[in-house]
């Protein structure tokens, strides 16, 4: 891992900073935007200062409707498992639906945009959402026999059945664990096993890139694999993309698989009282990749999480009930949970759900959707912006839509991409917030508050209210504003949106996120427990943070986190492979993509189809998003004398960067052999790469 490394690697040189991170000038919000913004009071920063911590977060919790008010805002007695709003009782489904009915029952809660353009968008009003969620909750309770505290795995794509399912679970206190629809059946199985789910909820099919994808087949693989790993799934609930029609070559298994639309007939007009949940009871699990093999189930709370996403949706996303808000992420990731479903719906917004790929059938599609629905808040990732810029740089101007607000999330955004987003997509009218955060953090950590702070292309911005970051170098020295050096960005204080633990693995939670900079492991004082994000960052003079990327063994591919160890273990399922090492490669569109180096077992001839087998294994074990750019079969891995694979050397080769001194390796000669294999005989590069690549996993 990149952590315990020599100080010569900690931080970029001044020269590099100059090359990679020229400071950009400010861009200011328009008077028109400010006039309508939810948050225009600069006193908010004072209210959320550390002096007013933790009580300041009452302001967010008060955006919600509580059955019982809490007695303790922050309980630190079980540090670092923080408990927020202890004693409070609340229900997330009630807060996202029922409480809006009086004023907004006839208002769009969800606009569903099917990928096929000849299928009209569908509107689900708050009243309709209420009906569907209640009926499905009744089915979950009475047919699937699920109750508060049970976990249920969802493997669902971007159709309205997904939020209906999540909100029905939330109504009953069932902990949902949604697995991104593009993940393979095997990936889904691992999450079923880890969470101990007895029920899997899926859909028969969905549209992607012009094809009706058979999704139910993944459920069969998931259930079978989970069973082999010791977790029996009793029931598979299968929604249908077209109610009443079944589009899958996988026949429903009798007694195990149930077509939701058939079973629902029994629960027509059923109403289910929301369960009054203790604020600190879990709402959902979201699995994410980490530094070791197994994905970890980030456990998010009910009250704290909902308060935090409601507050940040209101003030950072500037969502008003009358806005049409479109976040083009997938609900299978944290962004979709927080900022398609829970945050916007808690504020009675109209949230758009688009089924398909942004460039289907062409790069004008997002802007046609924006025009048709009159979307005024738009939210997406740099990878998508780069793709749309490449595929249709002039498309936005052909359509009559106007955004007041746009978000970027998931990766650093290059200033020139930012400018295209601002000028062309935003037509120079929209403000942009660059929101930096993580699955673990539930909601935003850094971003400008749009009416109060100017934008700076390429910088996420200052911390959002109530978040107090600190950048440490490897020796635990604080790197202050204008230090000109990058370090490990941490958060000094807990906040309500933070995950509570890793499901079933508190030790891993503590060791991954808190051990590194903990001042005293016995302490019950939050000040002793800075949260380690795993990202490298740089703090400019003006208090704006630039996030440089992951400093651990995680690769951010198109804004999605992949653990190198996950890819490597998938490669090792191919019988011919002896060793595997994954490294990130800079990619113009996706940010980073994985390259994989493999060596073959003795006696296996090269020239067999090892490469194809490795790619196939990765697609099967994880999913197509993890597909490597290149698979290189190498004679041996560059190794230290103690036998560790030097991934940093491989990363340098893949990115044509300076390889550095390799003479201390056990097998220095192999480095040149590998270099020639990858780059050909051309001249060796001397430049140093971006921070995340230069520091990539060189001792692990
Ligand atoms: C990266 C996604 C730069 C970062 C919400 C983080 C970003 C990881 C930004 C979390 C941003 C996210 N600028 N980098 N605005 N947002 N990241 O868990 O490396 O899928 O640690 O959560 O994405 O990815 P995750």
């Amino acid at each position: 891992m990149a952590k315990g490394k020599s100080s010569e690697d900690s931080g970029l040189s001044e020269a590099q900073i100059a090359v990679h991170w020229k400071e950009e000038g400010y861009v200011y919000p328009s008077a028109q935007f400010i006039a309508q913004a939810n948050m225009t009071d600069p006193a908010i920063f004072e209210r959320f200062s550390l002096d007013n911590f933790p009580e300041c977060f009452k302001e967010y919790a008060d955006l919600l409707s509580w059955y019982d008010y809490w007695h303790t805002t922050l309980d630190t007695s079980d540090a670092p498992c923080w408990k927020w709003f202890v004693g409070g009782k609340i229900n997330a489904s009630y807060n996202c639906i029922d409480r809006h009915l009086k004023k907004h029952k006839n208002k769009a809660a969800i606009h569903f945009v099917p990928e096929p353009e000849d299928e009209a968008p569908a509107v689900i009003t708050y009243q309709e959402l209420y009906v569907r969620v209640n009926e499905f909750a009744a089915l979950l309770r009475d047919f699937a026999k699920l109750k508060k505290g049970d976990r249920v795995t969802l493997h669902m794509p971007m159709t309205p059945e997904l939020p209906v399912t999540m909100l029905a679970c939330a109504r009953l206190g069932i902990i949902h664990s949604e697995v991104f629809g593009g993940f393979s059946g095997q990936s889904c199985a691992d999450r079923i096993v880890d969470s101990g789910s007895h029920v899997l909820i899926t859909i028969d099919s969905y549209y992607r890139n012009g094809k009706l994808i058979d999704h139910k087949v993944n459920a069969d693989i998931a259930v079978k694999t989970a069973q082999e790993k010791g977790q029996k799934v009793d029931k598979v609930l299968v929604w249908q993309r077209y109610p009443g029609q079944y589009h899958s070559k996988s026949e429903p298994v009798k007694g195990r698989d149930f077509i939701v639309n058939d079973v629902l007939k029994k629960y027509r007009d059923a109403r289910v009282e929301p369960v009054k949940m203790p604020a600190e009871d879990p709402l959902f699990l979201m699995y994410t990749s980490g530094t070791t093999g197994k994905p970890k189930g980030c456990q998010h709370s009910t009250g704290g999480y909902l308060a935090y996403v409601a507050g940040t949706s209101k003030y950072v996303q500037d969502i008003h009930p009358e806005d049409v808000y479109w976040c083009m992420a997938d609900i299978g990731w944290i962004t979709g949970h927080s900022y398609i479903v829970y945050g916007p719906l808690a504020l009675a917004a109209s949230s758009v759900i688009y089924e398909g790929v942004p460039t289907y059938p062409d790069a004008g599609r997002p802007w046609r959707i924006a025009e048709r629905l009159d979307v005024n808040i738009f939210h997406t990732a740099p990878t998508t912006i780069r793709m749309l810029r490449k595929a249709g740089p002039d498309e936005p101007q052909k359509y009559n839509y106007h955004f007041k607000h746009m978000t970027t999330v998931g990766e650093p955004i290059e200033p020139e991409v930012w400018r295209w987003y601002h000028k062309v997509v935003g037509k120079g009218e929209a403000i942009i917030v660059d929101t930096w955060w993580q699955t673990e953090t539930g909601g935003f950590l850094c971003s400008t508050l749009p009416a109060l702070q100017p934008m700076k292309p390429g910088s996420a911005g200052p911390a959002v209210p109530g978040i107090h970051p600190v950048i440490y170098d490897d020796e635990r020295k604080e790197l202050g504003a204008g230090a000109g050096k990058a370090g490990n960005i941490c958060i000094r204080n807990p906040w309500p949106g933070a995950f509570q633990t890793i499901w079933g693995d508190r030790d891993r939670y503590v060791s991954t996120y808190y051990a590194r900079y903990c001042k005293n492991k016995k302490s019950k004082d939050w000040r002793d427990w800075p949260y380690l994000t795993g990202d490298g960052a740089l703090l400019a003079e003006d208090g704006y943070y630039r996030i440089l990327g992951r400093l651990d063994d995680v690769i951010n591919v198109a804004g999605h986190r992949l653990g190198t160890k996950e890819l490597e273990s998938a490669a090792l399922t191919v019988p011919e492979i002896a060793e595997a090492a994954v490294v990130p490669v800079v990619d113009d569109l996706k940010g980073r993509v994985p390259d994989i180096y493999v060596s073959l077992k003795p006696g296996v001839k090269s020239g067999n189809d090892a490469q194809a087998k490795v790619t196939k294994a990765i697609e099967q074990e994880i999913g197509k998003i993890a597909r490597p750019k290149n698979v290189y079969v190498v004679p041996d891995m560059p190794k230290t004398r103690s036998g560790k694979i030097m991934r940093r050397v491989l990363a340098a080769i893949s990115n044509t960067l300076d390889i550095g001194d390799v003479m201390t390796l056990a097998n220095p000669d192999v480095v040149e052999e590998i270099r020639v294999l990858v780059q050909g005989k051309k001249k060796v590069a001397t430049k140093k790469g971006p921070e995340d690549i230069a520091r990539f996993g060189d001792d692990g």
Side-chain angles (χ1 to χ4, degrees):
M1 293 196 320
K3 282 158 191 161
K5 270 180 329 208
S6 66
S7 52
E8 64 179 68
D9 271 335
S10 67
L12 296 166
S13 69
E14 297 293 333
Q16 270 176 281
I17 292 164
V19 171
H20 292 291
W21 298 117
K22 185 169 84 57
E23 280 296 319
E24 301 284 328
Y26 291 134
V27 180
Y28 290 87
S30 67
Q32 207 184 355
F33 177 83
I34 296 171
Q36 62 79 61
N38 278 329
M39 180 47 69
T40 51
D41 177 10
I44 186 167
F45 297 109
E46 177 54 33
R47 289 204 300 281
F48 280 82
S49 68
L50 273 180
D51 289 344
N52 295 325
F53 180 85
E55 299 306 324
C56 52
F57 282 110
K58 179 175 182 299
E59 193 168 329
Y60 284 0
D62 281 343
L63 296 171
L64 305 175
S65 305
W66 295 78
Y67 298 113
D68 295 326
Y69 227 53
W70 58 94
H71 51 70
T72 307
T73 304
L74 173 64
D75 173 357
T76 64
S77 60
D78 190 25
C81 293
W82 318 115
K83 294 194 183 70
W84 284 89
F85 308 123
V86 182
K89 293 262 176 64
I90 191 163
N91 185 281
S93 180
Y94 177 87
N95 270 276
C96 291
I97 309 170
D98 306 39
R99 68 170 180 150
H100 304 318
L101 294 179
K102 208 163 153 220
K103 257 171 84 183
H104 299 300
K105 64 170 174 279
N106 201 30
K107 171 182 191 295
I110 293 171
H111 288 281
F112 172 55
V113 183
E115 193 193 69
E117 219 165 352
D118 47 14
E119 235 179 85
V123 174
I124 299 175
T125 61
Y126 274 95
Q127 174 66 20
E128 179 62 17
L129 185 62
Y130 172 77
V131 169
R132 292 196 198 182
V133 165
N134 271 278
E135 290 180 349
F136 192 60
L139 184 154
L140 290 178
R141 184 188 61 192
D142 300 339
F143 178 76
K145 306 281 184 243
L146 289 164
K147 56 180 190 318
K148 176 172 176 294
D150 289 346
R151 281 81 54 211
V152 51
T153 298
L154 285 43
H155 192 200
M156 298 178 68
M158 285 288 281
T159 68
E161 288 75 17
L162 176 51
V164 166
T165 302
M166 290 161 64
L167 291 162
C169 289
R171 203 165 184 83
L172 295 165
I174 298 162
I175 304 168
H176 58 74
S177 168
E178 152 71 0
V179 179
F180 169 60
F183 274 139
S184 66
Q186 269 101 329
S187 273
C188 181
D190 291 338
R191 288 150 175 87
I192 290 173
V193 175
D194 191 77
S195 62
S197 300
H198 293 286
V199 173
L200 171 65
I201 306 178
T202 187
I203 194 166
D204 66 331
S205 62
Y206 63 98
Y207 270 103
R208 190 151 180 92
N209 227 349
K211 283 202 282 289
L212 191 64
I213 308 272
D214 183 344
H215 188 58
K216 167 62 171 48
V217 290
N218 294 315
D220 297 338
I221 298 169
V223 171
K224 182 166 169 282
T225 314
Q227 171 108 45
E228 286 161 10
K229 296 184 176 179
Q231 179 67 31
K232 184 159 183 295
V233 173
D234 309 319
K235 283 195 172 69
V236 180
L237 305 178
V238 189
W239 288 97
Q240 289 159 311
R241 170 66 175 77
Y242 296 99
Q245 302 174 26
Y246 184 72
H247 295 280
S248 170
K249 63 178 197 300
S250 145
E251 283 304 316
V253 174
K254 232 178 153 237
R256 186 198 78 180
D257 299 354
F258 301 91
I259 304 296
V260 171
N261 293 306
D262 295 341
V263 186
L264 266 181
K265 291 182 185 137
K266 265 208 342 239
Y267 300 97
R268 283 282 172 263
D269 301 322
R271 297 291 179 264
V272 173
E273 264 309 292
V275 174
K276 295 178 181 168
M277 298 290 292
E280 73 275 22
D281 273 19
L283 177 61
F284 67 87
L285 306 180
M286 169 63 61
Y287 281 83
T288 191
S289 298
T291 46
T292 57
K294 219 173 76 172
K296 37 197 183 187
C298 293
Q299 175 185 317
H300 282 283
S301 72
T302 306
Y305 170 82
L306 199 65
Y308 196 70
V309 298
T312 48
S313 292
K314 182 154 184 177
Y315 300 134
V316 180
Q317 301 283 280
D318 198 48
I319 295 177
H320 304 59
E322 48 282 4
D323 290 324
V324 183
Y325 167 86
W326 181 16
C327 171
M328 203 166 52
D330 194 293
I331 299 174
W333 309 108
I334 192 69
T335 303
H337 275 51
S338 299
Y339 298 112
I340 297 178
V341 180
Y342 286 113
L345 297 184
L347 299 178
S350 300
S351 189
V352 178
I353 294 181
Y354 172 52
E355 178 178 30
V357 295
T359 49
Y360 184 83
D362 58 68
R365 185 68 193 280
W367 324 126
R368 287 198 290 282
I369 294 171
E371 178 181 282
R372 174 163 183 155
L373 300 178
D374 203 12
V375 172
N376 65 342
I377 307 182
F378 183 69
H379 185 156
T380 193
T383 185
T384 309
I385 303 169
R386 289 184 215 111
M387 189 169 77
L388 289 167
R389 178 170 90 137
K390 187 167 176 209
D394 304 320
E395 287 300 308
Q397 72 201 39
K398 298 183 189 159
Y399 299 95
N400 181 22
Y401 69 84
H402 293 276
F403 296 150
K404 67 165 183 177
H405 181 296
M406 304 192 299
T407 300
T408 167
V409 61
E411 311 154 69
I413 182 164
E414 301 79 358
E416 63 287 7
V417 177
W418 191 99
R419 277 189 280 271
W420 182 78
Y421 194 35
H422 187 250
K423 181 161 166 255
V424 180
V425 178
K427 305 186 175 177
E429 304 161 339
I431 68 96
I432 296 180
V433 292
D434 180 344
T435 58
W436 168 68
W437 59 297
Q438 313 177 298
T439 304
E440 293 87 339
T441 71
F444 305 143
L445 296 175
C446 282
S447 163
T448 48
L449 276 194
L452 287 170
Q453 295 160 323
M455 308 161 247
K456 186 155 83 170
S459 286
V464 297
I467 300 292
H468 302 276
V470 52
I471 300 179
Y472 288 124
D473 70 8
D474 287 338
E475 273 72 50
R476 212 180 188 294
K477 207 170 95 295
E478 278 190 40
L479 300 171
K485 260 185 147 186
N488 300 296
I489 183 165
C490 299
I491 312 298
R492 290 181 200 273
N493 60 301
W495 65 100
F499 70 139
Q500 303 175 293
T501 187
I502 295 173
W503 179 258
D505 202 346
R506 184 193 166 120
D507 289 349
R508 191 173 170 205
Y509 166 79
V510 178
S511 65
T512 310
Y513 300 99
Y514 292 98
R516 176 95 193 267
Y517 291 111
C518 178
K519 294 171 198 153
N520 168 9
K521 299 230 159 85
K522 294 218 171 72
S523 173
K524 306 284 178 216
D525 184 340
W526 57 263
R527 289 169 194 82
D528 291 325
W529 294 93
Y531 166 80
L532 177 76
T533 66
D535 279 331
L538 195 73
L539 179 58
E541 218 64 82
D542 59 1
Y544 278 51
Y545 291 89
R546 275 183 195 284
I547 305 301
L548 305 177
R550 303 291 310 183
L551 294 182
D552 54 15
D553 299 342
V554 171
I555 303 185
N556 190 334
V557 180
H560 304 316
R561 277 166 67 171
L562 298 173
T564 52
K565 297 281 193 312
E566 284 169 67
L567 277 90
E568 289 165 6
S569 22
L572 292 174
T573 63
V574 177
E576 290 89 341
I577 303 300
E579 283 184 307
V582 168
V583 300
V585 193
V586 175
D587 182 272
D588 280 351
L589 290 181
K590 294 184 175 171
R592 302 286 179 269
V593 288
D595 256 6
I596 181 159
Y597 290 81
V598 294
S599 64
L600 304 176
K601 283 185 186 153
V604 178
K605 288 203 189 61
S606 60
N608 69 12
D609 47 0
Q611 274 142 314
K613 283 186 187 161
V614 167
T615 303
K616 190 151 171 259
I618 289 174
E619 284 180 11
Q620 260 172 16
E621 297 278 322
I622 304 172
K624 290 206 169 103
I625 52 162
R627 192 190 285 148
K629 180 167 189 182
N630 300 291
V631 181
Y632 297 114
V633 179
V634 297
D636 193 9
M637 298 287 175
K639 284 183 186 150
T640 62
R641 296 226 168 92
S642 60
K644 285 183 182 163
I645 299 176
M646 289 290 281
R647 288 178 179 75
R648 183 177 55 75
V649 170
L650 298 172
I653 294 176
S654 273
N655 291 281
T656 341
L657 301 172
D658 178 19
I659 293 167
D661 182 11
V662 294
M663 287 325 285
T664 57
L665 295 188
N667 52 353
D669 297 344
V670 83
V671 175
E672 180 58 13
E673 241 182 281
I674 297 175
R675 196 196 63 76
V676 171
L677 176 90
V678 173
Q679 302 173 354
K681 288 220 159 66
K682 66 184 178 223
K683 202 170 129 259
V684 182
T686 52
K687 56 179 189 200
K688 256 189 121 183
E691 175 88 341
D692 62 315
I693 296 200
R695 287 178 45 151
F696 191 74
D698 63 356
D699 65 359

